[in-house]
Amino acid sequence: MKDARPSKTAEFVAFQRASERKHPSSARILDDPFARFFLTKTSQAALAAWEHGGKIGELLGWFSLGLTTFVVTRHRYMDDRLLEALADKERAPQRIVVLGAGYDMRAHRHAEAIGGRPFLEVDHPATGKRKTRILEKLEREGRITSPKADRLLMDFQTESLEERLSREGLNGEERVFFIWEGVSMYLTREAVKKTLRTLCKVSVPGSEVVFDCWFLLDQPDLRSASHRIMSNVLLLLGEPLLFGIHPEDIGGFLERCGLELVETVSPAELEERYVRDDRRVYPACYMVWARVAG
C-alpha cells in the first residue's frame, strides 16, 4: 500500500457492511450503521443506487463470486467470538486489539459489552488518519459519541509491531482478544509468522486471536479457475494477495508460532450459521480462531 493513500480494500469492506442494511432484518447478517460514513462520494453513489435499484448489488454479488458475502459473514463471526469472550468471566479479555483496523467500528457498536476495557486499533497512517478525521467530524456534528478506541498508527514495513505494542502497555501481563481481519493474505509468510509470534509475546496464555485466511483453490475446473483469476484483480488496487495456507495445514502452522487452534470455519459453515437468503460465501477463504498456548 502506498504511504499517502488510504486502503481501497478497507473502503470496499466498509461498503459491504453498509450495504448489508439494504437487506430485510430477517436476512441481515450484521448491522453496522457507521460503515457508510467512511465511503467516498463514488462509493456513496454506488450504495444509493444499490439500495434503490438492487441491480448493482446483484451484479456485484455475482461478479465477486461470493466475496462480498464472505466479508460480512467474516465480520459477524468475529463479532460473535468477541462478544462470547466478553460474556465469559473465566476468559474475558482485559484488553481488545484490532490489527489492521481499517474502518472497523466495533468499539462503538459493542461499547456496552466492552464495558470500558482498553480498546486499541492498529493501522497504517494513511488509513488511520482518514478515519480519525471522519470520526472527529461526526463527533462535532453530534452524529456519534466520543471515540471509544485508542489508535496506534504505524508503518508495518519499517516499524516493529512488538515494540509499538509494548509502548502501549502490552507487556505480556494481560489477557488480550486480538482481531486480525482481512490482513494476513496481503502479507508475506514471514510477516504473518512474525505477527502471530508477537501476539504471543505481548499477551498471556489463553489470550485469543480471530483472523481469516485465504488459500488457492486447486480443483481443475472453471469455477476454481475463475477464483484464481479474481485473486489477481487485487494487484490492480496495489494490494496483491501474498500469503495463502490450506485449512488442513493451519493447525501445525499456528503451533509453530506459539498458538493452539480452537476451530476453523469453512465457507459452507459460515453460510449455514449466518446466511438466510440465496447468497453464497466465497469458497477460497475461511476463519481461524486460536489461543495463545500455555
Side-chain angles (χ1 to χ4, degrees):
M1 179 166 47
K2 296 179 180 179
D3 290 346
R5 189 182 68 176
S7 170
K8 291 295 184 182
T9 55
E11 185 181 356
F12 169 80
V13 168
F15 182 93
Q16 297 313 315
R17 294 203 305 271
S19 67
E20 190 66 17
R21 303 198 94 197
K22 82 178 183 65
H23 294 282
S25 57
S26 60
R28 197 173 295 165
I29 295 169
L30 59 83
D31 188 15
D32 184 348
F34 306 104
R36 65 174 59 240
F37 295 136
F38 302 100
L39 304 182
T40 60
K41 290 183 179 179
T42 299
S43 295
Q44 289 173 6
L47 180 62
W50 186 342
E51 291 175 333
H52 291 95
K55 294 301 182 182
I56 292 179
E58 292 176 12
L59 288 171
L60 182 58
W62 188 85
F63 280 114
S64 75
L65 305 173
L67 182 59
T68 58
T69 309
F70 173 72
V71 166
V72 289
T73 56
R74 171 183 74 188
H75 207 76
R76 171 66 183 276
Y77 176 80
M78 292 177 164
D79 279 355
D80 286 356
R81 298 289 73 74
L82 172 61
L83 294 174
E84 179 184 276
L86 289 168
D88 187 333
K89 292 182 179 180
E90 293 186 359
R91 52 181 267 246
Q94 296 162 280
R95 185 188 295 254
I96 301 159
V97 176
V98 182
L99 300 172
Y103 304 121
D104 184 289
M105 288 294 284
R106 287 186 176 93
H108 284 76
R109 291 174 55 231
H110 302 309
E112 184 176 350
I114 291 167
R117 289 176 175 83
F119 195 111
L120 180 65
E121 297 178 349
V122 185
D123 209 351
H124 188 277
T127 305
K129 289 178 181 178
R130 179 175 185 263
K131 180 178 183 179
T132 297
R133 290 195 300 270
I134 292 171
L135 290 178
E136 289 175 347
K137 180 176 182 292
L138 292 172
E139 186 180 4
R140 289 194 302 270
E141 295 172 349
R143 302 172 78 178
I144 64 169
T145 56
S146 59
K148 305 286 185 181
D150 294 319
R151 197 156 293 115
L152 170 58
L153 305 183
M154 60 173 289
D155 186 334
F156 294 92
Q157 296 182 354
T158 61
E159 298 181 83
S160 166
L161 178 62
E162 182 179 352
E163 290 181 5
R164 294 300 305 273
L165 290 178
S166 295
R167 288 186 218 166
E168 296 294 325
L170 280 84
N171 297 308
E173 300 175 352
E174 293 180 313
R175 185 183 300 109
V176 184
F177 194 100
F178 296 99
I179 295 173
W180 199 23
E181 183 173 9
V183 179
S184 69
M185 59 283 298
Y186 301 110
L187 304 179
T188 64
R189 177 174 291 265
E190 189 58 36
V192 172
K193 291 191 294 185
K194 187 174 182 179
T195 298
L196 293 174
R197 287 168 179 160
T198 293
L199 304 190
C200 295
K201 290 180 181 179
V202 302
S203 64
V204 299
S207 294
E208 301 176 46
V209 56
V210 185
F211 65 105
D212 54 318
C213 280
W214 170 82
F215 68 104
L216 188 66
L217 294 172
D218 56 4
Q219 290 88 346
D221 55 38
L222 184 59
R223 185 166 181 263
S224 296
S226 65
H227 284 287
R228 290 194 291 272
I229 293 171
M230 184 185 172
S231 67
N232 293 323
V233 172
L234 290 173
L235 178 63
L236 301 178
L237 298 177
E239 299 174 33
L241 299 180
L242 300 175
F243 173 74
I245 184 167
H246 196 280
E248 295 176 357
D249 302 322
I250 191 65
F253 180 82
L254 291 172
E255 184 177 348
R256 292 189 292 274
C257 294
L259 294 150
E260 55 187 25
L261 177 66
V262 178
E263 73 170 357
T264 59
V265 182
S266 70
E269 290 172 311
L270 289 173
E271 286 180 13
E272 183 178 354
R273 293 188 191 190
Y274 302 124
V275 181
R276 297 295 177 265
D277 49 26
D278 59 355
R279 286 179 285 176
R280 292 293 177 263
V281 175
Y282 187 67
C285 292
Y286 61 100
M287 303 304 303
V288 180
W289 175 22
R291 291 195 181 104
V292 175

